[in-house]
Amino acid sequence: MDTQVFDKIDDPNEDNVISQDSVPDLATVNSDDEPVDREISEEEASVKKNKRKNSSRKKDAPSSFITGLFDWTSAFLFALIAVVLIMTFCFRIVDVDGGSMLNTLQDHNKVIVTGLDYKPQVGDIVVISHGVELEKVIVKRIIAVGGQTVDLDERTGEVIVDGVVIEENYVTSKTEARDTPFPIEVEEGKVFVLGDNRSVSKDSRYQEVGLIDEDWIIGKVQYRFYPFNEIGKVE
């Protein structure tokens, strides 16, 4: 049998040992065999930034809607409360019903009434809520206030306050007594009122109406804004 002589027997562990220098750093590679810590391009950075923004917008959308709805509702309620307070304490819009204030005010006129810190004065045209005595509010002119005395001259139809005939250029007919006896002394805290159209006005000459408590006065008629051709201050 032939014998094959080997000059050298290779050590199986000698050449097959892998150098540590030739092993790639597993911490520096990814699935594409590219370094993870490489610098990304500006285009890639922009794409990633936009994705984050879009994701943030989607998350914030419901929250933004609720916040906006809450802000709108709060503003509406604030405005509504402000209108109610203004209409209650500062001014009101009143429709004139009837002809008892002709020729100063006519039926269906719309007027602005102010009542904030109002103190009744002789000559003022006022809107009165008479409680349960009358079915609706009335509009009259103050002729006398608390402490004054009112009388009528049956012959001339003139109104006399504290012994002095008052000038009433707004009246078109004589003032006649009704079922209230004259002279009448106005109590403190009350006023005596008459309508300018004395022939049809139901006012303090009637015991049904009588003297008006100042607390019943809603406010003073200041301006007429309808009809539009008669807009202006009411005297």
Side-chain angles (χ1 to χ4, degrees):
M1 179 179 67
D2 294 337
T3 302
Q4 185 176 6
V5 179
F6 296 92
D7 294 333
K8 180 180 180 181
I9 299 176
D10 293 336
D11 184 351
N13 297 322
E14 181 178 349
D15 293 335
N16 294 330
V17 174
I18 300 175
S19 172
Q20 187 173 0
D21 294 337
S22 64
V23 177
D25 184 359
L26 297 180
T28 63
V29 298
N30 60 15
S31 60
D32 296 326
D33 295 332
E34 294 181 356
V36 172
D37 58 351
R38 66 183 179 86
E39 293 185 1
I40 62 175
S41 66
E42 293 183 2
E43 183 178 356
E44 290 175 314
S46 176
V47 170
K48 290 184 178 181
K49 185 176 181 181
N50 289 335
K51 286 182 178 179
R52 287 196 297 270
K53 285 185 178 179
N54 292 335
S55 176
S56 177
R57 288 195 190 101
K58 291 179 181 178
K59 292 179 180 179
D60 294 342
S63 177
S64 299
F65 173 77
I66 294 174
T67 302
L69 181 62
F70 176 79
D71 291 341
W72 184 89
T73 303
S74 299
F76 175 78
L77 291 177
F78 177 80
L80 181 61
I81 293 172
V83 169
V84 171
L85 291 176
I86 290 173
M87 295 294 287
T88 301
F89 298 104
C90 296
F91 72 87
R92 296 186 183 186
I93 297 175
V94 175
D95 289 335
V96 177
D97 185 11
S100 68
M101 284 300 293
L102 290 171
N103 291 324
T104 306
L105 295 174
Q106 301 179 21
D107 190 24
H108 300 309
N109 279 179
K110 295 184 184 297
V111 296
I112 295 176
V113 178
T114 58
L116 185 63
D117 294 330
Y118 173 69
K119 180 68 176 176
Q121 301 290 330
V122 172
D124 289 351
I125 297 176
V126 294
V127 174
I128 302 161
S129 174
H130 202 279
V132 298
E133 299 297 329
L134 297 177
E135 295 180 355
K136 54 188 176 182
V137 297
I138 57 177
V139 181
K140 304 297 175 186
R141 187 185 296 271
I142 297 177
I143 301 301
V145 296
Q148 294 185 307
T149 300
V150 181
D151 201 358
L152 297 180
D153 187 327
E154 292 284 357
R155 182 179 59 85
T156 63
E158 294 174 320
V159 180
I160 304 168
V161 177
D162 292 339
V164 179
V165 176
I166 63 174
E167 183 178 349
E168 298 184 292
N169 53 12
Y170 42 79
V171 175
T172 58
S173 60
K174 292 198 318 180
T175 305
E176 299 176 346
R178 295 296 187 249
D179 60 2
T180 295
F182 286 91
I184 180 172
E185 185 175 344
V186 182
E187 302 171 26
E188 292 294 339
K190 296 181 181 293
V191 297
F192 182 93
V193 299
L194 294 174
D196 288 357
N197 188 3
R198 302 289 160 79
S199 62
V200 301
S201 176
K202 181 174 286 188
D203 44 43
S204 292
R205 293 174 296 168
Y206 292 83
Q207 292 185 12
E208 181 183 355
V209 178
L211 297 175
I212 300 299
D213 194 303
E214 291 184 359
D215 291 339
W216 296 344
I217 298 176
I218 295 175
K220 177 182 177 181
V221 175
Q222 296 281 10
Y223 296 95
R224 171 175 33 217
F225 69 92
Y226 183 85
F228 300 128
N229 61 339
E230 296 182 15
I231 292 177
K233 187 173 178 59
V234 176
E235 299 292 349

